[in-house]
Amino acid sequence: MLTVNDLSMQFGPSVLFSKVDLQFTAGNCYGIIGANGAGKSTFIKILSGELEPTSGSIVLDPKRRMSVLKQNQGLYDEHTVLETVIMGHARLYECGIEKDAIYEKPDFNDDDGIRAAELEEEYAELGGWESESDAGRILQGLGVPVELHGNLMADVDPRLKVKVLLAQALFGHPDVLLLDEPTNNLDLASVVWLEDFLMDYEGTVLVVSHDRYFLNNICTHIVDIDYGKIKMYVGNYDFWYESSQLIQKLTRDQNKKAEQKIQELQTFIARFSANKSKSRQATSRRKLLDKITIEEMPASSRRYPWVGFQPEREPGKDRLFVTEISKTVDGVKLLNNISFIVSKDDKIALIGRNELAVTMLYKILMGEEEPDSGSVKFGASITPSYFPKDHNSFFEGCDLDLIDWMRQFSEDKRESYLRGFLGRMLFSGDDVYKPVKVLSGGEKVRCMLSKLMLSGANFLLLDQPTNHLDLESIAALNNGLEAFKYNLIFSCHDHQLTQTVANRIIEITDDGIIDRRCSYDEYVHLTDLEENTR
């Protein structure tokens, strides 16, 4: 359906990828992965026609329609929410506009009647008479309430604009869907709805995402941008990741016999082929995996950070007591009588529809904000350390390089000592002399994680630490938090990290909190059951 022929792209002397030949077919979902800067978004823009490649071509059957998730939230401010969604099918929208304009003419003539009849037929064939109900159904599925459908986009909350633009991309049964980070700023219910939508989608989906759980649920193939090439592999992200790690391990060990390598890889493929729990598309994927040869297994040049937290002292029995915390900001009550006690072994995922409320609780716990009422008390032996959601103040206007920036937070000022923490987050060589004010979003997060590791804290608080991180860094952080022996409270949009790290869920609501000792998936299941029995 969509074919890439001999594609190359470079900016000046920098080559992103070259000699790419790929074919994307209907009924499959392709997850596009690669390190930050590898060219994922550039590849999507080339496929959509927004960017011209250096060489090569993109071929789409002219009878097929492509839809792209737009990123410019201000583009449709003069249109209503419902109209913006329908504009996702450009021909249907244009047909409706032209048809209505003809009927509004004061001097309607015979030629107008003939043209109107043609447009009526085309409009019906394109599904025009069902367009408003179809658009409304998608909007509701993504959590945009009906009462907002007639509002101008200029008046819509930016967090909902993201959902409207996603609804626009999904509208009208496009044959090819290009989605760049579609789960950004989506709540859990909207992500689940999107997963179900894409699992039932009969066209071709290409998606860039840093959400491993999402990729595992929806993908039949992984498209990896690495080594200046773009290669396609059968399977979801976990299959790609584990096979890539295995290939690297085996190729590093030159003493192993070829037969041993083949046997181990065949065993690995067979294990995944037989595992029906990997996704709801397991049956078709298993057939594809059965056909994989050893030569088709992935290898990667990407480097993975290492995240590990070593507390300087063991905490005592008392950890954290939060008692009747309330907080109102600008007349809006964010926190309402919040109380909980953190016990030994608690790893708490802090969730809530209002992220401002979640962040405010972190700030109160760390003493950055005073509550209107209530109290916070850490145990005498507790040394907390905090990763704030907004950490730009650590970098803005700062003229220090990475080494001197880290030196601010360390009693040991030796460069070799500080390089060790920066090196774990892939800052090596002359990188450590880079001014922190020019760092990218992902690099700033890795700096903050280096600072967190340096702290030696025995109680960690992390507010959205995966924002701006690539898949490799998220996986490393996941491993580090799982291995941490003591308490942590964290908020995160990454489903897999939350599921594998948390053993207790606290949800902030308008009425207080919901507090359960269970995994994230168990919490979601219990919440669904409760909502369905109301």
Side-chain angles (χ1 to χ4, degrees):
M1 181 176 288
L2 180 64
T3 306
V4 178
N5 296 316
D6 197 27
L7 187 73
S8 297
M9 188 67 186
Q10 68 182 78
F11 295 99
S14 176
V15 178
L16 280 182
F17 38 78
S18 62
K19 299 180 180 178
V20 177
D21 293 292
L22 296 170
Q23 188 166 21
F24 302 99
T25 57
N28 289 317
C29 179
Y30 302 86
I32 301 173
I33 65 171
N36 285 346
K40 301 184 292 296
S41 294
T42 298
F43 184 52
I44 287 285
K45 289 176 181 178
I46 292 172
L47 294 177
S48 70
E50 185 179 341
L51 272 181
E52 282 292 326
T54 304
S55 62
S57 62
I58 307 297
V59 180
L60 176 65
D61 185 332
K63 297 179 182 178
R64 304 297 181 181
R65 186 172 72 87
M66 177 184 288
S67 185
V68 184
L69 174 59
K70 303 288 196 305
Q71 303 294 336
N72 185 349
Q73 291 190 6
L75 195 59
Y76 301 94
D77 280 355
E78 301 304 315
H79 300 275
T80 67
V81 167
L82 202 63
E83 188 180 16
T84 298
V85 175
I86 296 172
M87 290 172 77
H89 193 326
R91 181 55 199 153
L92 184 152
Y93 179 74
E94 291 163 2
C95 189
I97 293 294
E98 185 180 353
K99 175 173 65 71
D100 291 343
I102 290 175
Y103 287 135
E104 290 173 3
K105 291 178 67 173
D107 53 345
F108 190 89
N109 56 37
D110 289 345
D111 288 340
D112 291 328
I114 294 171
R115 179 57 179 160
E118 293 172 348
L119 289 169
E120 288 283 9
E121 183 178 358
E122 183 180 4
Y123 189 71
E125 288 177 356
L126 294 174
W129 299 115
E130 301 83 35
S131 60
E132 289 195 3
S133 60
D134 288 346
R137 187 161 50 250
I138 296 173
L139 285 166
Q140 286 181 269
L142 289 171
V144 182
V146 175
E147 56 267 25
L148 295 183
H149 294 186
N151 289 12
L152 287 176
M153 283 287 281
D155 301 326
V156 174
D157 185 298
R159 289 171 294 183
L160 288 179
K161 279 187 177 181
V162 172
K163 295 183 177 184
V164 176
L165 293 180
L166 178 56
Q168 181 193 71
L170 303 180
F171 173 75
H173 311 289
D175 300 292
V176 179
L177 258 177
L178 304 183
L179 304 174
D180 192 353
E181 297 291 356
T183 62
N184 277 2
N185 298 308
L186 292 190
D187 52 69
L188 173 65
S190 299
V191 173
V192 171
W193 183 90
L194 179 60
E195 286 178 3
D196 290 339
F197 181 95
L198 295 178
M199 295 296 281
D200 294 333
Y201 183 71
E202 296 178 353
T204 305
V205 182
L206 287 83
V207 58
V208 176
S209 177
H210 286 165
D211 188 328
R212 297 164 295 163
Y213 186 87
F214 181 71
L215 292 177
N216 281 331
N217 275 350
I218 67 169
C219 288
T220 58
H221 298 72
I222 292 297
V223 178
D224 181 33
I225 305 179
D226 201 3
Y227 294 109
K229 304 290 183 183
I230 304 180
K231 292 187 178 181
M232 184 186 297
Y233 302 100
V234 174
N236 62 10
Y237 178 77
D238 274 355
F239 180 80
W240 174 88
Y241 175 78
E242 292 194 32
S243 56
S244 175
Q245 294 297 298
L246 181 58
I247 287 286
Q248 290 191 38
K249 173 179 175 290
L250 295 178
T251 53
R252 282 196 300 266
D253 189 350
Q254 297 299 321
N255 296 323
K256 282 190 177 292
K257 295 179 181 179
E259 292 79 7
Q260 290 176 312
K261 293 182 182 180
I262 292 172
Q263 184 177 6
E264 188 169 349
L265 285 168
Q266 287 175 337
T267 301
F268 172 79
I269 293 172
R271 174 168 63 85
F272 262 85
S273 298
N275 191 338
K276 296 183 180 181
S277 67
K278 284 292 167 184
S279 85
R280 285 167 281 183
Q281 295 175 333
T283 301
S284 60
R285 184 173 298 136
R286 189 168 65 255
K287 293 177 182 177
L288 293 170
L289 289 170
D290 286 339
K291 300 176 183 178
I292 292 179
T293 64
I294 302 305
E295 290 73 24
E296 292 170 332
M297 298 291 282
S300 175
S301 66
R302 290 197 284 281
R303 298 164 61 208
Y304 288 80
W306 184 87
V307 177
F309 304 98
Q310 301 297 326
E312 292 179 353
R313 63 173 176 172
E314 187 173 335
K317 180 181 178 182
D318 292 340
R319 303 298 171 89
L320 173 62
F321 302 88
V322 178
T323 307
E324 299 179 353
I325 292 291
S326 293
K327 182 71 173 180
T328 298
V329 178
D330 296 331
V332 178
K333 193 151 199 175
L334 296 179
L335 304 173
N336 184 12
N337 202 31
I338 307 292
S339 296
F340 60 90
I341 298 172
V342 178
S343 305
K344 181 183 178 183
D345 300 326
D346 279 350
K347 290 187 174 181
I348 299 170
L350 192 62
I351 65 174
R353 291 185 180 274
N354 188 343
E355 292 191 359
L356 293 176
V358 174
T359 295
M360 178 55 69
L361 181 55
Y362 281 111
K363 291 182 176 181
I364 290 173
L365 294 179
M366 293 304 298
E368 294 184 3
E369 291 278 351
E370 287 293 326
D372 297 335
S373 60
S375 64
V376 172
K377 183 180 179 183
F378 282 98
S381 62
I382 297 300
T383 52
S385 191
Y386 174 45
F387 181 105
K389 180 179 180 179
D390 182 0
H391 44 263
N392 285 325
S393 60
F394 285 87
F395 302 96
E396 288 175 351
C398 182
D399 294 322
L400 300 176
D401 60 30
L402 268 68
I403 284 287
D404 286 335
W405 185 85
M406 284 286 286
R407 196 171 271 130
Q408 301 173 96
F409 312 109
S410 176
E411 292 184 6
D412 189 332
K413 307 296 184 181
R414 291 173 301 153
E415 181 170 320
S416 57
Y417 177 74
L418 300 172
R419 270 184 176 273
F421 289 94
L422 290 169
R424 293 170 192 170
M425 297 309 295
L426 306 182
F427 295 110
S428 59
D430 290 339
D431 287 345
V432 300
Y433 302 122
K434 184 188 295 186
V436 296
K437 63 184 177 183
V438 303
L439 298 178
S440 68
E443 287 174 325
K444 288 177 181 177
V445 172
R446 287 191 279 125
C447 275
M448 293 298 292
L449 290 174
S450 297
K451 173 182 175 293
L452 202 66
M453 289 189 283
L454 179 68
S455 70
N458 58 22
F459 195 122
L460 303 179
L461 300 96
L462 304 96
D463 188 7
Q464 301 298 343
T466 61
N467 287 357
H468 305 293
L469 288 183
D470 56 23
L471 283 164
E472 295 75 37
S473 299
I474 292 173
L477 177 61
N478 198 151
N479 294 336
L481 294 180
E482 277 192 83
F484 185 63
K485 295 189 296 182
Y486 302 125
N487 297 116
L488 58 91
I489 301 176
F490 70 96
S491 302
C492 176
H493 289 304
D494 189 277
H495 187 122
Q496 188 166 332
L497 188 150
T498 306
Q499 166 61 18
T500 54
V501 173
N503 55 26
R504 181 178 174 187
I505 311 297
I506 295 180
E507 180 176 2
I508 297 178
T509 69
D510 292 340
D511 299 323
I513 63 170
I514 301 172
D515 187 354
R516 290 202 174 103
R517 295 184 186 277
C518 62
S519 71
Y520 186 51
D521 283 347
E522 289 170 337
Y523 183 83
V524 171
H525 179 66
L526 288 170
T527 303
D528 287 343
L529 285 177
E530 289 174 357
E531 289 181 354
N532 291 333
T533 55
R534 286 173 188 167

